[in-house]
């Protein structure tokens, strides 16, 4: 595609003001992205829908200006390279390469991405791979190394695991280093991050207690190999966890629910255990009295995947390990649903995220169903 053949305006989905789901709309007259010297132009094929989108739309994470194009991760095809040769130093990129990117504003037909933010997936991957990381528009993106996308991996597959895969991996290595013999509780175990955490924890030799809200989700996490499955709508999680652990509690809790489960965590964590606040699906927990940590000498943290991927060395290390785990079949990739690239499609993706009915990854099909 030549420069002359690029459209003057593009389709994008976002919002002009913060509010409820109905503020999401197709944005009008969005100009074709203006590229800097070090930018590649990416024709987006698939983008990931994540909880972070709901926070941004609602104003939990304020936007500097409007309109805001939603989406923080995408996969697609390079249609234009940087004009600066220096921008391509050490990067084997060419027009037509299939890539993934970590970038705000991905619910758009085309995006301009600094070359060093482009993430092409490693040649050594033979199974499911993906192209996405969670990010905020107001945050500076982390350095990302590049590698070629294997010919046998399409962009749909590429848009299903890295965002949540790197989150799950860094949290299970850095937030709490899961090891053989541990007993861990994973809330939201059927979700995108939760299902990957479940697979990774099992691969590392832990006993997994998976907490889910419905029998359908219970069946799914059983298929992942979780040794114990609790249905939160019908079982008392505290009682069941203490029964499973002979009253000791779990070594670590990975809690993606937030306010509704926060207090329970202090009752089911064991002495010197770790509470990892993965997300806040039910709302932000109340302020914590730090003296409570001394009751069992516990550790509690609310990590960000990006703070574990600050340097190129850290990023490469965790990408390499994640890709190795993928090759080993350490966890399964589950795509819950593929939504249309419309205001209605993106609205529905947010409804499904908030309802917590989803099992696995949610994708926006930008190129058309």
């Amino acid at each position: 595609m030549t420069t002359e053949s690029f459209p003057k305006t593009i389709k994008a989905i976002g919002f002009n003001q913060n509010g409820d789901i109905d503020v999401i709309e197709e944005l009008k007259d969005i100009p074709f992205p203006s590229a800097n010297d070090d930018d590649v132009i990416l024709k987006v094929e698939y983008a990931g829908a994540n909880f972070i989108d709901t926070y941004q739309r609602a104003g939990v994470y304020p936007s500097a200006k409007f309109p805001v194009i939603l989406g923080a991760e995408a996969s697609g095809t390079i249609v234009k390279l940087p004009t600066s040769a220096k921008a391509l130093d050490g990067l084997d990129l060419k027009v037509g390469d299939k890539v993934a990117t970590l970038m705000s504003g991905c619910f758009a037909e085309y995006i301009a991405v600094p070359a060093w933010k482009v993430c092409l997936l490693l040649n050594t991957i033979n199974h499911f791979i993906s192209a996405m990381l969670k990010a905020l528009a107001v945050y500076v993106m982390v350095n990302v190394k590049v590698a070629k996308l294997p010919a046998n991996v399409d962009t749909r597959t590429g848009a299903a695991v890295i965002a949540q895969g790197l989150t799950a991996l860094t949290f299970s290595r850095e937030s709490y280093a899961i090891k053989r013999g541990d007993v861990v509780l994973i809330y939201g175990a059927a979700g995108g991050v939760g299902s990957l955490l479940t697979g990774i924890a099992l691969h590392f030799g832990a006993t997994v207690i998976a907490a889910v809200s419905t029998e359908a989700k219970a069946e799914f996490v059983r298929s992942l190999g979780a040794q114990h499955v609790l249905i939160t709508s019908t079982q008392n999680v505290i009682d069941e966890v203490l029964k499973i652990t002979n009253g000791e509690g779990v070594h670590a809790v990975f809690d993606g629910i937030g306010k509704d489960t926060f207090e329970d965590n202090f009752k089911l964590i064991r002495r010197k255990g770790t509470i990892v606040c993965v997300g806040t699906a039910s709302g932000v927990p109340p302020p914590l009295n730090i003296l409570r940590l001394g009751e069992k000498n516990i550790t509690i943290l609310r990590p960000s995947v990006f703070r574990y991927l600050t340097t190129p060395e850290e990023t490469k290390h965790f990408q390499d390990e994640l890709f190795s785990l993928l090759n080993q079949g350490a966890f399964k990739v589950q795509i819950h649903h593929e939504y249309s690239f419309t205001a209605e499609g993106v609205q529905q993706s947010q409804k499904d995220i908030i309802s917590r009915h989803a099992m696995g990854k949610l994708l926006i099909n930008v190129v058309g169903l």
Side-chain angles (χ1 to χ4, degrees):
M1 182 178 287
T2 64
T3 301
E4 291 73 19
S5 64
F6 291 139
K8 291 183 178 179
T9 61
I10 62 170
K11 178 179 176 179
I13 308 295
F15 54 91
N16 278 290
Q17 62 181 8
N18 295 121
D20 293 331
I21 287 175
D22 59 4
V23 303
I24 297 172
E25 60 182 303
E26 181 175 334
L27 300 175
K28 307 296 184 183
D29 300 320
I30 299 298
F32 187 86
S34 176
N36 296 319
D37 290 347
D38 62 347
D39 288 347
V40 299
I41 299 294
L42 176 65
K43 181 175 175 59
V44 178
E45 297 179 17
Y46 290 90
N50 296 291
F51 233 109
I52 200 78
D53 303 329
T54 71
Y55 296 154
Q56 192 177 17
R57 181 261 305 157
V60 176
Y61 298 136
S63 302
K65 61 180 180 178
F66 295 97
V68 173
I69 300 174
L70 282 164
E73 53 191 18
S75 60
T77 303
I78 292 177
V79 294
K80 186 176 184 297
L81 291 172
T83 55
S84 168
K86 184 177 293 187
L88 289 173
D89 284 352
L91 303 180
D92 182 19
L93 298 177
K94 63 182 183 297
V95 170
D97 280 340
K98 302 295 184 181
V99 303
T101 186
L102 317 166
M103 186 77 183
S104 61
C106 285
F107 290 0
E109 291 178 302
Y110 293 87
I111 55 177
V113 187
W116 60 269
K117 289 183 183 176
V118 175
C119 169
L120 291 86
L121 303 177
L122 290 177
N123 285 321
T124 55
I125 308 174
N126 296 317
H127 298 293
F128 292 110
I129 318 175
S130 87
M132 307 185 301
L133 282 171
K134 293 181 180 176
L136 294 176
V138 294
Y139 281 4
V140 175
M141 305 300 292
V142 295
N143 232 337
V144 178
K145 295 296 186 180
V146 297
K148 290 283 186 176
L149 177 66
N152 64 329
V153 178
D154 60 24
T155 49
R156 182 178 185 270
T157 302
V161 70
I162 273 194
Q164 294 165 336
L166 283 176
T167 299
L169 180 59
T170 56
F171 286 13
S172 59
R173 285 297 199 195
E174 296 275 359
S175 302
Y176 176 78
I178 298 175
K179 59 187 181 300
R180 184 167 301 280
D182 283 346
V183 182
V184 300
L185 171 64
I186 299 174
Y187 280 105
V193 173
S195 60
L196 298 179
L197 264 172
T198 297
I200 289 171
L202 290 168
H203 185 76
F204 289 169
T207 295
V208 171
I209 305 173
V212 296
S213 58
T214 68
E215 179 57 39
K217 291 183 178 182
E219 284 300 315
F220 172 57
V221 296
R222 289 188 190 105
S223 74
L224 300 179
Q227 295 95 332
H228 304 277
V229 180
L230 305 179
I231 301 176
T232 57
S233 58
T234 60
Q235 294 176 280
N236 184 300
V237 174
I238 298 171
D239 291 347
E240 294 299 323
V241 166
L242 293 178
K243 185 186 302 181
I244 292 167
T245 60
N246 296 317
E248 289 190 69
V250 294
H251 294 86
V253 179
F254 293 88
D255 184 3
I257 306 303
K259 182 176 65 175
D260 291 352
T261 52
F262 187 70
E263 286 298 321
D264 291 351
N265 293 335
F266 292 89
K267 299 174 184 176
L268 50 77
I269 196 72
R270 70 174 55 195
R271 185 178 66 89
K272 298 194 294 184
T274 298
I275 299 172
V276 182
C277 300
V278 176
T280 54
S282 66
V284 178
L288 172 68
N289 181 346
I290 197 170
L291 295 179
R292 295 188 64 186
L293 304 181
E295 295 172 4
K296 295 182 182 179
N297 282 0
I298 63 174
T299 299
I300 185 168
L301 63 164
R302 175 57 168 100
S304 162
V305 62
F306 291 111
R307 304 291 80 76
Y308 293 135
L309 303 173
T310 299
T311 70
E313 293 76 18
E314 289 172 328
T315 302
K316 183 179 187 305
H317 169 79
F318 283 114
Q319 283 184 339
D320 287 351
E321 183 175 12
L322 179 65
F323 299 157
S324 175
L325 292 172
L326 284 166
N327 274 329
Q328 296 172 54
F331 51 82
K332 298 178 182 178
V333 176
Q334 174 85 1
I335 297 175
H336 172 76
H337 192 70
E338 191 174 309
Y339 301 85
S340 64
F341 182 50
T342 62
E344 294 76 17
V346 174
Q347 288 175 0
Q348 187 60 51
S349 74
Q350 293 208 5
K351 290 176 183 177
D352 291 347
I353 289 170
I354 294 169
S355 71
R356 293 162 26 196
H357 291 157
M359 291 182 281
K361 186 65 185 176
L362 284 62
L363 295 179
I364 306 298
N365 185 334
V366 178
V367 292
L369 294 170

